[in-house]
Amino acid sequence: MKVRATSEDRLTQIVLIGLALTFLAFFLLLPLVAVFSEALGQGLGMFLEAVQTPDALAAIRLTLIIAAISVPLNVVFGIAASWAITKFQFPGKSLLITLIDLPFSVSPVVSGLIFVLLFGANGFVGPWLAEHDLKIIFAVPGIVLATVFITFPFVARELIPLMMEQGKDDEEAALSLGASGWQTFWHVTLPNIRWGLLYGVLLCNARAMGEFGAVSVVSGHIRGETNTMPLHVEILYNEYDFVGAFAVASLLALLALVTLVAKSVLEWRFDLHSGASH
Amino acid sequence: MSNTLALAGAPPGVLPRTIARTWRKRSVMPGFGLTFGFTLAWLTLIVLIPLATIFLKAAGMGWHEFVAVGLSPRALAAYRLSFGTAAAAALVNAVFGLLVAWVLVRYSFPGKRVVSALVDLPFALPTAVAGIALTSLYAPNGWIGQFLEPMGIKVAFTSLGITIALVFIGLPFVVRSVEPVLADLGKDVEEAAATLGASRYQTFSRVILPAIGPALLTGFAMAFARGVGEYGSVIFISGNMPGKTEIAPLLIVTQLEQYAYAGATAIAVVMMLASFAVLLLINWIQAVNRRRMGA
């Protein structure tokens, strides 16, 4: 049999594909299947009961609130940062990009720790906060802060390469035709970047809703008050309520699946390549 | 002014780079003050000031106190475990991540798009969910654990379990950094190698591997860095025995729960410095490598 010089013979291909798929099945697919199987293993009734307990509902509500606050904040920051970085030249630009990426290289636990050191009872600002009866750590504001920190680079990281590639021609044309800055942004820039923006929002949202380590450090785990869904999963699991833990976990897994599907659709339809390091 | 000139002089459809090169100091583009100011202010408030507190706190500790906690036997065991398992997992990911990227770029098979989407699962699945799922799989009565148990292989509550969790977390980093480089690699170099009589294996090890080496190393470094700091997916499967299966991030949490803020800070600072050192080393290797390759 003649073998093409720049590829492998079909048998080698099949062996390599089989090896890769087996690896992915064991390490990625099986855990995903396990979540749903454990959640629904005792029947749909148990599942529905588990996700409708007051504590679970409170956790779901809090997770939605946290995402609803932190994702828009990151959208505004992401757009502002990428506008400044891609439309203008200034010294220290690459340093700025590195600093925006910094939260990616910090351990989630450390990301929570820094806010405890800042706002905790013994923190730098803690006594002042106590005097004014303000609570950040072991309360919702702390969870929002930690989430915003963790998701900080997501939107900017998606928009910077996209806007860099698109250049400034469209905006300059609009401006030279007499459009104002805001008009140019709303009618020219935003339509140009909307799919990339949506892509960034999707990833940012998935992380915001699923963050565990950073949130765990600042939340205090008060049931019904400062428990997000991932933290609720941990509490139930440690209490050996496996059906409950996997039921809430399966909702998060569903969110992950929706995110992956939407992300893939955006990639195929609008040719947005996936970033390498989210 | 200079922009309109540059635009007028440029043929339609000109590359943005040409515009950028003719771009002068003054710009008609509005909003620099607003966006740059906001970016800098928000970055300072959310990232820079909070991160600075950790070093401020560490600087406020005496050297003796810092060493007593930051380099205590329990902390040293935790670093060894965190860095060791992260390195082992990143190594596994370098091998299998390269295989997955290769298969996705070079071969066609049914369901390829679904497989490609699945690779990003660890980015999208919350770490706590991954943690309890892996624990249930590898527990002695779990789907996989029940087959490993009779063979005397214990995964859950050992460092092997930690490594498996970190393999899960790190895989997409390697695949996604190798994939684009592999796709861009022209067939012509491989054809040239084949024409010159190289076997397929020789072409792979002498031509392809050196070309994707930097991307592979980047993926390895990112998977490693993520693994060192990883918390959510590990704590369920690790068993958390001090000195044995207690990872460094967990030790920080334990210190915090005892209100030992100084101890938590010391461990966090040692971890961050060690991670930076490893990343710098990898950057240095890449720079040396680039110089030797003459690129």
Side-chain angles (χ1 to χ4, degrees):
Chain A
M1 196 179 90
K2 198 181 176 310
V3 177
R4 271 176 52 218
T6 55
S7 189
E8 291 73 44
D9 59 88
R10 194 61 199 161
L11 184 68
T12 313
Q13 289 194 12
I14 288 170
V15 168
L16 290 179
I17 292 171
L19 212 58
L21 292 186
T22 311
F23 176 80
L24 292 177
F26 267 93
F27 278 89
L28 299 187
L29 193 60
L30 220 48
L32 188 63
V33 174
V35 173
F36 291 106
S37 153
E38 297 272 351
L40 297 167
Q42 311 285 329
L44 192 64
M46 292 279 277
F47 169 82
L48 289 175
E49 206 174 298
V51 297
Q52 283 175 342
T53 62
D55 285 344
L57 288 176
I60 294 170
R61 200 177 314 121
L62 182 61
T63 292
L64 293 176
I65 290 172
I66 300 295
I69 300 172
S70 49
V71 174
L73 283 176
N74 270 315
V75 167
V76 173
F77 168 76
I79 291 174
S82 29
W83 182 275
I85 286 169
T86 60
K87 307 290 181 196
F88 302 94
Q89 300 293 343
F90 53 88
K93 191 189 270 193
S94 60
L95 176 69
L96 181 62
I97 297 176
T98 308
L99 288 179
I100 289 174
D101 268 350
L102 206 54
F104 271 151
S105 50
V106 176
S107 167
V109 169
V110 177
S111 310
L113 171 68
I114 55 180
F115 290 104
V116 174
L117 292 179
L118 203 52
F119 299 116
N122 298 313
F124 289 99
V125 201
W128 185 88
L129 288 172
E131 233 168 73
H132 294 77
D133 211 21
L134 294 170
K135 220 167 152 51
I136 292 184
I137 297 306
F138 303 149
V140 175
I143 304 178
V144 171
L145 275 173
T147 308
V148 171
F149 179 92
I150 284 283
T151 56
F152 197 80
F154 275 84
V155 177
R157 207 164 217 265
E158 212 49 61
L159 289 184
I160 290 170
L162 181 69
M163 285 169 72
M164 201 87 92
E165 200 182 318
Q166 288 176 346
K168 306 182 292 189
D169 315 21
D170 292 356
E171 281 84 0
E172 277 165 341
L175 289 165
S176 69
L177 291 171
S180 76
W182 280 111
Q183 282 175 325
T184 308
F185 173 72
W186 282 111
H187 298 291
V188 178
T189 309
L190 207 55
N192 272 348
I193 61 168
R194 62 186 168 195
W195 299 116
L197 184 62
L198 181 61
Y199 190 95
V201 165
L202 272 172
L203 297 176
C204 179
N205 180 63
R207 187 67 196 264
M209 288 189 168
E211 177 52 28
F212 179 74
V215 169
S216 163
V217 170
V218 296
S219 115
H221 302 87
I222 309 164
R223 272 176 181 245
E225 274 180 53
T226 61
N227 240 358
T228 62
M229 286 168 78
L231 298 180
H232 195 56
V233 168
E234 184 200 17
I235 287 189
L236 294 176
Y237 191 86
N238 287 341
E239 287 171 352
Y240 302 102
D241 179 359
F242 294 132
V243 174
F246 278 102
V248 178
S250 70
L251 296 180
L252 288 167
L254 209 60
L255 169 77
L257 283 182
V258 170
T259 305
L260 284 185
V261 170
K263 180 176 169 297
S264 305
V265 169
L266 282 176
E267 277 167 18
W268 301 331
R269 274 219 53 185
F270 303 103
D271 199 33
L272 296 166
H273 48 90
S274 58
S277 49
H278 294 295
Chain B
M1 181 197 74
S2 51
N3 284 293
T4 37
L5 277 179
L7 270 178
V14 74
L15 287 170
R17 203 180 299 130
T18 324
I19 300 288
R21 207 179 299 131
T22 46
W23 190 81
R24 303 275 148 67
K25 279 269 147 48
R26 284 206 165 277
S27 167
V28 288
M29 199 68 74
F32 180 72
L34 177 71
T35 55
F36 184 75
F38 175 72
T39 302
L40 218 54
W42 192 240
L43 177 74
T44 308
L45 269 178
I46 298 289
V47 177
L48 300 184
I49 292 178
L51 267 182
T53 58
I54 203 165
F55 291 102
L56 214 61
K57 178 88 180 170
M61 295 167 71
W63 176 247
H64 198 74
E65 191 191 0
F66 185 87
V67 171
V69 191
L71 300 178
S72 67
R74 186 175 172 187
L76 286 176
Y79 304 140
R80 219 176 358 245
L81 181 68
S82 275
F83 284 90
T85 50
L91 218 64
V92 171
N93 276 329
V95 174
F96 283 93
L98 174 60
L99 173 70
V100 171
W102 178 270
V103 163
L104 285 175
V105 171
R106 291 298 171 100
Y107 306 149
S108 58
F109 53 92
K112 188 167 144 177
R113 280 187 169 180
V114 178
V115 172
S116 175
L118 185 71
V119 168
D120 280 333
L121 179 72
F123 286 153
L125 193 71
T127 52
V129 178
I132 62 169
L134 289 169
T135 311
S136 84
L137 283 178
Y138 289 97
N141 58 351
W143 289 353
I144 301 178
Q146 60 178 318
F147 297 108
L148 298 177
E149 182 83 355
M151 294 193 282
I153 303 172
K154 282 195 171 50
V155 178
F157 319 124
T158 67
S159 52
L160 187 59
I162 301 174
T163 309
I164 285 178
L166 296 182
V167 169
F168 174 88
I169 288 298
L171 180 70
F173 290 97
V174 175
V175 178
R176 294 305 180 217
S177 43
V178 171
E179 232 181 348
V181 181
L182 206 52
D184 280 348
L185 200 64
K187 283 255 169 181
D188 48 349
V189 282
E190 290 173 49
E191 275 162 14
T195 334
L196 293 171
S199 73
R200 192 64 192 143
Y201 172 74
Q202 282 174 321
T203 308
F204 179 79
S205 61
R206 301 280 182 83
V207 177
I208 300 173
L209 210 52
I212 58 172
L216 192 60
L217 196 58
T218 304
F220 174 87
M222 288 195 297
F224 174 78
R226 176 71 201 264
V228 169
E230 179 55 25
Y231 177 69
S233 62
V234 174
I235 53 159
F236 296 99
I237 204 167
S238 70
N240 308 331
M241 291 265 295
K244 286 204 180 113
T245 56
E246 184 180 54
I247 54 167
L250 178 73
L251 192 54
I252 295 177
V253 173
T254 314
Q255 296 281 320
L256 272 179
E257 278 167 359
Q258 297 163 354
Y259 302 102
Y261 295 116
T265 306
I267 295 159
V269 167
V270 172
M271 254 180 77
M272 281 168 85
L273 292 181
S275 297
F276 284 145
V278 170
L279 290 181
L280 276 179
L281 179 74
I282 286 172
N283 272 338
W284 179 74
I285 293 173
Q286 293 213 336
V288 168
N289 206 28
R290 257 198 304 276
R291 221 174 307 143
R292 220 182 30 206
M293 301 281 285

